[in-house]
Amino acid sequence: GDALVVRGRVTTQGKGVPGQRVEIYLAPSQSSGQGSVRVGQTLSDEQGRFTVSVTIPRDLALGEHELFASSAGDAQFAPSISE
């Protein structure tokens, strides 16, 4: 499949959150994440930023998809999902 570069930032109250595991997903459009497929993961850097190259699975169903990022959080930070 084709490759994409995904960039983002994990923040709380406008400040970057370092060391958070970030998972990248593709889901059919307008599905509220149902049927999502994880396509990559990475860690946020000291400013909360992340960059990861992901490969679109060859067997991904045809049609429009949405990409989103998710973090499970930790003892200090709650789980979160991109907007």
Side-chain angles (χ1 to χ4, degrees), residues 21-53:
R21 180 176 167 180
V22 178
E23 296 182 332
I24 309 298
Y25 293 88
L26 284 171
S29 290
Q30 307 299 317
S31 69
S32 298
Q34 297 296 316
S36 64
V37 176
R38 189 175 79 177
V39 292
Q41 66 180 21
T42 190
L43 293 175
S44 60
D45 69 13
E46 53 278 348
Q47 286 87 36
R49 294 183 180 94
F50 63 88
T51 301
V52 62
S53 179

Side-chain angles (χ1 to χ4, degrees), residues 8 13 45 74 79:
Q13 300 177 345
D45 69 13
D74 58 21

